[in-house]
Amino acid sequence: RNQRYLRPAACIALYASPQALLLLLPLCEPMSKIIDKKAVVARRAKLKAKCDIEIGAGTFIHNDCQILALKGPIYIGSENLIEEQVVIVNNTTTPMIIGDHNYIEVGARIESLKIGNRNKFECKSSVAAGAEVGDDCIIGAAVEICSGDVVEDNFIIFGSKQERRMIKSKRNLSDIKAALAALKGMAG
């Protein structure tokens, strides 16, 4: 198999009325950290799983990152680059899905449940729970995307006034792939 499984002790079965059991189900689901064998998670990265965390092939997670599945699962796709001091947190019972080929720079915070593919989150940017980011977007340095905001495909958001402009040509992934290749070379 392509994955390593780390399973905590099983939940204690509770015998109660069906209504009470339904209220307890989110607390009793088995939790796991599934890290693809081709992913690299730095030793000082913090993965806190009260629910599932899955990390796809080729994803590189730097030291001092925090991935916190506090109330719901987090699924991180393949070939993502997540730099130092990034915080990814799911504080809802809905699964958080982060697509493939995303580049999340130093100090960014992601709480959005839906992040598409090939996005760049620059330093200190943040995306709140309830916001969505499509594909091929750039969220500028220190830009805050608020709850309820939807960033459509191929948009860049930048500056203190959070200006939006459409990206007219598809982003080139060579920068992200080169950075991943360099980091994998250093790690192993």
Side-chain angles (χ1 to χ4, degrees):
R1 285 193 86 131
N2 241 8
Q3 299 168 335
R4 294 178 289 189
Y5 294 90
L6 306 171
R7 296 242 180 230
C11 293
I12 298 171
L14 298 173
Y15 297 96
S17 68
Q19 294 81 10
L21 192 56
L22 284 175
L23 293 172
L24 295 173
L25 276 178
L27 300 175
C28 290
E29 291 180 7
M31 299 163 283
S32 65
K33 297 174 191 168
I34 302 171
I35 302 170
D36 188 279
K37 72 177 186 177
K38 293 182 180 176
V40 177
V41 178
R43 186 168 293 165
R44 290 192 342 240
K46 179 181 177 184
L47 278 62
K48 184 176 180 184
K50 291 187 178 179
C51 294
D52 291 348
I53 296 176
E54 289 188 23
I55 300 171
T59 291
F60 194 101
I61 299 176
H62 281 250
N63 283 317
D64 302 319
C65 287
Q66 296 182 54
I67 300 177
L68 311 172
L70 300 179
K71 293 184 181 177
I74 298 175
Y75 303 106
I76 299 174
S78 63
E79 301 292 332
N80 292 291
L81 177 57
I82 302 172
E83 291 187 342
E84 294 89 350
Q85 300 172 4
V86 167
V87 177
I88 298 173
V89 60
N90 186 357
N91 230 348
T92 71
T93 56
T94 305
M96 172 187 280
I97 300 172
I98 297 175
D100 302 325
H101 300 283
N102 292 295
Y103 180 22
I104 306 174
E105 291 185 352
V106 176
R109 184 176 182 90
I110 307 292
E111 294 185 43
S112 169
L113 298 177
K114 186 177 179 219
I115 302 292
N117 302 305
R118 298 173 306 278
N119 297 297
K120 181 178 181 184
F121 299 86
E122 293 185 348
C123 296
K124 303 279 186 176
S125 61
S126 67
V127 184
E132 292 183 13
V133 177
D135 296 335
D136 302 298
C137 297
I138 299 173
I139 309 302
V143 168
E144 295 180 12
I145 306 297
C146 298
S147 182
D149 199 358
V150 176
V151 180
E152 296 177 19
D153 295 353
N154 300 309
F155 267 86
I156 180 170
I157 302 177
F158 62 96
S160 60
K161 295 182 182 178
Q162 298 194 15
E163 296 178 55
R164 290 180 185 233
R165 293 207 181 126
M166 180 174 252
I167 301 170
K168 298 194 179 185
S169 63
K170 289 277 184 181
R171 282 196 41 224
N172 186 347
L173 293 177
S174 63
D175 292 341
I176 294 173
K177 288 184 178 182
L180 281 168
L183 289 169
K184 286 178 188 174
M186 290 172 24

